[in-house]
Amino acid sequence: SRTPVREALLRLGQTGLVQVSSRKGFSIPVITSADVRELYDLRSAIETYAIRRATPLISEDEIATHRRLQQAALRQSQAGDPATAEAFFRADLALHSVLHALAGNVRSARILSEAMGQLSLLSLRASTITERAQLAIAEHQVILDALATRDPEAAAQAMEVHVEAVKARSLTDRDGGDG
């Protein structure tokens, strides 16, 4: 039956992942440079909010676990392992997810999820570029170092630097650059 597929596509349309047109049906929306800037600015606001709340709550064990995940992804990347993109993506998602879980704001996590969904094609492409993954892993290490100090402002600053760097790389990728 086409009804469940249509309903799923309409739900994707509500999040911006699919464009719905009464005459043309469904299509993948074009993400403009302005969209990328706006979505990453939103991401920065939500991520820095979450990390400020999560910093005093994250355990040493959680920090150690995320250091191990980041290091495993880095080793795979340095070895040229074809599974690097998946390892990086999982480590990235795990780190950002735990921060939002600890922050305890379901609505901010949902808004971030929708924004990240709209950026998913750019994020997926970036995760397949070895140098992009390695840069993000290094930024994640700075975030983990800041979390370990229990300083919410230092952690928020590290997160903001990371998100701004990802935004710049995404704009380069989106606009067809190679660096």
Side-chain angles (χ1 to χ4, degrees), residues 18-70:
V18 171
Q19 199 165 26
V20 181
S21 170
S22 59
R23 294 184 182 189
K24 295 180 182 178
F26 301 96
S27 61
I28 303 296
V30 174
I31 303 276
T32 67
S33 294
D35 293 332
V36 171
R37 284 186 198 89
E38 187 176 287
L39 288 164
Y40 275 106
D41 289 348
L42 177 62
R43 179 181 173 191
S44 182
I46 294 170
E47 295 268 29
T48 55
Y49 160 80
I51 203 167
R52 279 185 181 98
R53 291 184 58 141
T55 299
L57 303 173
I58 193 165
S59 71
E60 293 298 326
D61 285 346
E62 286 170 314
I63 292 171
T65 295
H66 290 285
R67 285 190 194 281
R68 283 191 299 275
L69 289 171
Q70 296 294 321

Side-chain angles (χ1 to χ4, degrees), residues 51 58 62-75 78 87-88 91-92 95-96 99 132-149 154-155 157-159 161-163 169:
I51 203 167
I58 193 165
E62 286 170 314
I63 292 171
T65 295
H66 290 285
R67 285 190 194 281
R68 283 191 299 275
L69 289 171
Q70 296 294 321
Q71 286 302 313
L74 180 60
R75 281 192 302 277
Q78 290 169 336
F88 167 73
D92 181 62
L95 176 59
H96 291 279
L99 296 173
R132 297 276 198 264
Q134 290 177 356
L135 288 168
I137 290 167
E139 292 156 8
H140 287 163
Q141 292 298 341
V142 174
I143 291 167
L144 289 164
D145 291 345
L147 286 167
T149 69
Q157 178 64 31
M159 180 63 78
V161 166
H162 167 58
V163 174
R169 292 190 293 265

Side-chain angles (χ1 to χ4, degrees), residues 3 10 32 39 51 72 87 102-103 116 122 127 135 141 154:
T3 302
L10 287 170
T32 67
L39 288 164
I51 203 167
L102 289 169
M116 293 305 294
L122 286 173
S127 69
L135 288 168
Q141 292 298 341

Side-chain angles (χ1 to χ4, degrees), residues 119-178:
L119 292 166
S120 61
L121 292 177
L122 286 173
S123 299
L124 184 59
R125 179 173 184 239
S127 69
T128 64
I129 302 170
T130 301
E131 67 187 30
R132 297 276 198 264
Q134 290 177 356
L135 288 168
I137 290 167
E139 292 156 8
H140 287 163
Q141 292 298 341
V142 174
I143 291 167
L144 289 164
D145 291 345
L147 286 167
T149 69
R150 304 293 179 205
D151 180 346
E153 290 309 312
Q157 178 64 31
M159 180 63 78
E160 186 172 6
V161 166
H162 167 58
V163 174
E164 286 298 315
V166 173
K167 177 171 74 174
R169 292 190 293 265
S170 293
L171 284 167
T172 298
D173 292 346
R174 190 246 167 250
D175 295 335
D178 62 351

